[in-house]
Amino acid sequence: MFTPLRRIARALATAAPAHGNIPASTSPVTSKLSFFNSITPGSGQIPTYRVLDGVGVPLQGAELPDITQEFARKLYEHMQLLPTMDNILYNVQRQGKISFYMTSYGEEATIIGSAAALANDDEVLGQYREMGVLLWRGFGINAAMAQCFGNYEDKSGKGRQMPMHFGSAEHHFHTISSPLATQIPQAAGVGFALKRDPARRNKNVACVYFGEGAASEGDFHAGMLLASTIPTPTIFLARNNGFAISTPAHEQFYGDGIAARGPGYGVDTVRVDGNDILAVFNAVKEARRRCLESSRAVLVEAMTYRVGHHSTSDDSFAYRGRQEVENWKKIDNPVTRFRLFMESRGWWNEKEEEELKARLKDDVITTLKRAETLKQSDLRDLFTDVYGGEEPWNLREQREELAGLLKKYGEVWEPWRKELKRFRDEGKKLVD
């Protein structure tokens, strides 16, 4: 009774190549037991895409992006603006004038190169080193200073967020939050919303930035799964800078970095030299094209190095050698690499270098001096902008309780009198 079935099975096997495929699958059948631990031929590591070598010379066969001298100078100016702001604001935090700061030392090419490759109205969800994306989009030094000082010009959160937690609806930059990796699944949702919007479908993508440490969170996998199965036009941009605070990359995962995870979700993936701004620009531009063309997610892993401490709350020399950092700054400096490329083309010279650094430093210091003199937003703003519609009862109770305390003690207790003068309305609007 089984003979006809055997004949049918044998006929099907003969018709299919080799041993055929698993039913309802494109996976070929093999009679050889074989385990694998690599997605590249010969069990090699995933290659890293590069355009410029360490001294700014284009690699043989590399395709330079079609950029003008003016555009290249804009890239370089923004790369120099980041360390200028980092130097000054890091010291300002040490003086106690702001509570917190995070630098972008060593990651200038990844941040600026990717920002330049995106459209200015693409939705960006950052982690906390993406101030350069906002600056590229015209956010301005004034706005960045206002956020760090929390004065009344802070449009990101009216002084209610930690420094470096930027947000700007105008610049399509979603407000940064401290919890690690929460922005990754949110980005998949933003991409889905763009896909459903007729006015933005096939026009815009969502781009989410995160470090390789954040990729160890479950949120990374949730975001990748959602964006790959729905699917959604979302670029997942991993800044692999070598450290998750104090944990080096080799202790975070055993596999071949973050890029190895992309094919597991059926996502187009590329690993790029994050210290080569032209390679980053090319890679993210192509990632964006693929996102729009297929309306699917793309994963970009940018290999870079965090030269600075994780934040002003960290001393990285407790877990890595000072000489290691100095060597990276000399051997693979992204700013120097691009400057050498520009000089080789006659697009830049030493005089312009000196003038740019002096101008940027003056601009940042001038803006800083103004920002630190401005008062904080109105005290009543502590209770606004969170809920839409009618004010919740518990928030109303808290506001009324604070207003009562201000009426009772605001004019008679010196610590409160002094503190209230820091607010633009000195608390009067809350009491009224």
Side-chain angles (χ1 to χ4, degrees), residues 32 34-47 254-257 260 271:
K32 181 181 179 181
S34 176
F35 290 81
F36 63 90
N37 192 18
S38 175
I39 60 170
T40 57
S43 298
Q45 282 201 311
I46 299 168
Y254 190 69
D256 188 5
R271 174 177 287 162

Side-chain angles (χ1 to χ4, degrees), residues 4-126:
L5 291 176
R6 287 173 181 163
R7 287 176 181 171
I8 293 171
R10 191 177 298 116
L12 289 173
T14 304
H19 300 289
N21 297 333
I22 293 295
S25 169
T26 57
S27 175
V29 173
T30 178
S31 58
K32 181 181 179 181
L33 177 63
S34 176
F35 290 81
F36 63 90
N37 192 18
S38 175
I39 60 170
T40 57
S43 298
Q45 282 201 311
I46 299 168
T48 302
Y49 169 66
R50 174 185 278 186
V51 173
L52 303 177
D53 67 14
V55 292
V57 178
L59 299 182
Q60 184 176 359
E63 184 176 340
L64 291 171
D66 184 18
I67 60 174
T68 63
Q69 177 180 350
E70 180 183 7
F71 187 78
R73 292 167 72 98
K74 181 180 178 183
L75 288 172
Y76 186 68
E77 179 170 330
H78 280 80
M79 289 181 77
Q80 282 286 11
L81 177 57
L82 285 180
T84 303
M85 294 187 69
D86 286 348
N87 289 341
I88 292 170
L89 284 168
Y90 191 92
N91 289 328
V92 165
Q93 192 279 336
R94 287 297 186 242
Q95 296 167 14
K97 294 181 179 180
I98 61 176
S99 60
F100 180 79
Y101 192 74
M102 303 188 82
T103 67
S104 302
Y105 295 132
E107 301 182 52
E108 296 89 350
T110 295
I111 296 166
I112 301 302
S114 59
L118 297 170
N120 283 342
D121 59 348
D122 285 337
E123 301 297 326
V124 170
L125 294 90

